[in-house]
Amino acid sequence: MIEQLDRIEQDGLAALQNASDEASLEQWRVAHLGRSSPLMMVFAGLSKVSKEERPVVGKRANEVKQALEAALAERSAALREAALARALQAERLDVGLPGRPLAHGRLHPATQTLRRIYQVFAEMGFQVFRSREVETDEYNFQLLNFPPNHPARDMQDSYYIDTGKERGDNPVLLRTHTSPGQIHAMRHFAALDPANPPPIRIILPGMCFRYEQVSARSEIQFTQVEGLAVGARVTFGDLKGTISDFARRMFGQNVRTRFRASHFPFTEPSAEVDFECFVCGGEGCPVCKYSGWLEIMGSGMVHPNVLRNGGYDPERYSGFAFGMGPERLAMLLHRIEDIRYFWSNDMRFLEQF
Ligand code: PHE
């Protein structure tokens, strides 16, 4: 009996080595531990074994049963592990392989320059005031003190949207500059308290349009940043101080500024502002055409008629205004030689910023 059990154990263990998947393990279990397996036959025949032998045989039969069960558990765990290892091997990936580069979006160079300008003026206490791109002749010209048929209009040839005949000769056009925003802003703030309009300190950024021959130096569309400060005792000294401070914050402490007398219908007196060339530091270079200076903006004291049109009494209030082109600043900063790059959507240009 004991020898038979030894053989059952050896045969079972040996056969188990040939079971290599779920199905053959199950077959093995039925054959070696199942109800009609030789081992179970031994258990079934125990009652016929003599009283003396029975405990010895029973004990040995139990040992064999436990050994076979343990071997089955071990074998099936080993097979599962091997299957997992095979699956991992099949899905193997090379973590050292460099990834595919992600295409990052980025801000347009004009937007980057605009945001830099906003930041500098924010530090100086200026808020951003947004104004429309589609304007009337009244706002774009008349309220800004351009007399009808004044030759100054020729400087800013316009894209007209209609003739405005049915509205008393007040055509709709694309704004040629951000200055009409001055009127919108003053009227907005004056309406808050018409008897005592509050002081104003704002910048007005946005797209402008002019009907021009497109060239390396001029585009039919461009952004401008207008500045406007109105208050009880705003002086030309405030204008100079504000702009000089802007120049230093934008281009460095040593940048000098220069004001040249000029003319705009909506400012009096008016000045063209030059910054010392921040490329060569005033030495003279191709960017400043060897003059040491760069033309940056138009400026002046808000004309009394314009203050009045905005709802501010010129007897009680004064103000200054300025306007500049961020693309021009970006061109100077990055030595971009052709303004047409800005709006031609060429990735080779845009990806450089
Ligand atoms: N609007 C003027 C232009 O487009 C610039 C300017 C703004 C000048 C404000 C003076 C004051 O050329």
Side-chain angles (χ1 to χ4, degrees):
M1 269 307 223
I2 297 294
E3 276 158 38
Q4 193 193 339
L5 280 168
D6 288 347
R7 208 166 40 254
I8 287 174
E9 181 175 25
Q10 279 161 22
D11 288 353
L13 293 178
L16 189 57
Q17 293 314 305
N18 300 324
S20 56
D21 57 26
E22 289 284 322
S24 51
L25 279 180
E26 180 57 13
Q27 266 171 24
W28 181 91
R29 192 192 63 74
V30 171
H32 296 271
L33 289 165
R35 213 182 303 192
S36 41
S37 62
L39 180 59
M40 292 306 146
M41 289 304 150
V42 171
F43 279 109
L46 268 186
S47 56
K48 290 177 204 119
V49 177
S50 70
K51 241 195 204 144
E52 298 73 43
E53 269 188 307
R54 203 180 293 155
V56 186
V57 173
K59 180 166 175 275
R60 180 67 189 131
N62 268 321
E63 280 170 10
V64 170
K65 182 166 179 263
Q66 276 161 18
L68 291 180
E69 280 170 353
L72 173 64
E74 195 183 308
R75 177 77 179 151
S76 98
L79 285 179
R80 266 202 307 279
E81 203 162 298
L84 185 63
R86 269 197 308 280
L88 285 176
Q89 182 69 23
E91 289 175 22
R92 204 159 86 127
L93 53 92
D94 179 356
V95 292
L97 202 67
R100 293 191 191 91
L102 286 179
H104 279 287
R106 63 193 77 212
L107 293 174
H108 191 280
T111 307
Q112 290 183 27
T113 313
L114 270 174
R115 291 196 177 181
R116 176 92 187 94
I117 294 171
Y118 299 165
Q119 193 185 336
V120 168
F121 279 111
E123 287 165 12
M124 295 163 69
F126 284 74
Q127 274 180 282
V128 172
F129 188 98
R130 302 238 171 229
S131 173
R132 62 191 64 165
E133 291 176 1
V134 179
E135 273 297 359
T136 56
D137 183 273
E138 183 186 21
Y139 274 89
N140 197 75
F141 293 121
Q142 294 166 38
L143 294 169
L144 290 171
N145 206 35
F146 283 81
N149 307 315
H150 189 275
R153 289 182 186 218
D154 295 342
M155 280 164 40
Q156 303 189 359
D157 282 331
S158 316
Y159 282 109
Y160 286 94
I161 285 172
D162 69 10
T163 60
K165 284 270 175 279
E166 68 286 1
R167 284 189 312 279
D169 282 332
N170 188 18
V172 173
L173 46 80
L174 300 181
R175 67 175 171 193
T176 59
H177 51 173
T178 42
S179 300
Q182 290 187 31
I183 303 289
H184 288 292
M186 281 190 278
R187 289 186 170 182
H188 165 82
F189 287 108
L192 298 177
D193 186 357
N196 283 301
I200 300 175
R201 196 161 27 162
I202 53 171
I203 52 171
L204 303 120
M207 190 62 80
C208 303
F209 307 84
R210 287 185 198 176
Y211 181 54
E212 295 204 48
Q213 181 66 49
V214 175
S215 73
R217 291 182 57 84
S218 62
E219 252 288 11
I220 56 172
Q221 70 175 89
F222 50 93
T223 53
Q224 278 195 343
V225 175
E226 187 95 3
L228 175 68
V230 179
R233 278 177 298 276
V234 176
T235 66
F236 198 90
D238 295 324
L239 169 64
K240 289 181 84 170
T242 301
I243 289 176
S244 307
D245 199 21
F246 166 73
R248 286 191 291 264
R249 286 171 190 258
M250 193 86 182
F251 302 110
Q253 282 305 311
N254 300 324
V255 173
R256 294 190 300 159
T257 45
R258 163 173 105 172
F259 291 71
R260 284 179 291 112
S262 183
H263 176 264
F264 300 100
F266 37 93
T267 46
E268 181 59 35
S270 304
E272 203 75 54
V273 187
D274 301 338
F275 289 2
E276 195 173 41
C277 180
F278 38 78
V279 176
C280 63
E283 299 273 306
C285 71
V287 174
C288 61
K289 301 203 187 77
Y290 300 98
S291 70
W293 295 91
L294 300 165
E295 279 181 39
I296 301 293
M297 62 177 100
S299 70
M301 299 307 289
V302 182
H303 194 285
N305 290 347
V306 175
L307 283 173
R308 204 175 289 115
N309 291 337
Y312 281 74
D313 178 0
E315 299 294 324
R316 292 170 57 203
Y317 293 90
S318 55
F320 66 75
F322 54 85
M324 67 184 117
E327 282 92 297
R328 201 174 138 64
L329 280 181
M331 286 173 80
L332 296 170
L333 271 173
H334 304 295
R335 304 209 192 188
I336 299 162
E337 281 163 359
D338 195 320
I339 199 168
R340 287 171 292 196
Y341 284 127
F342 280 93
W343 312 114
S344 56
N345 280 339
D346 186 332
M347 290 301 281
R348 290 169 301 179
F349 170 74
L350 297 172
E351 278 173 354
Q352 291 179 46
F353 297 91

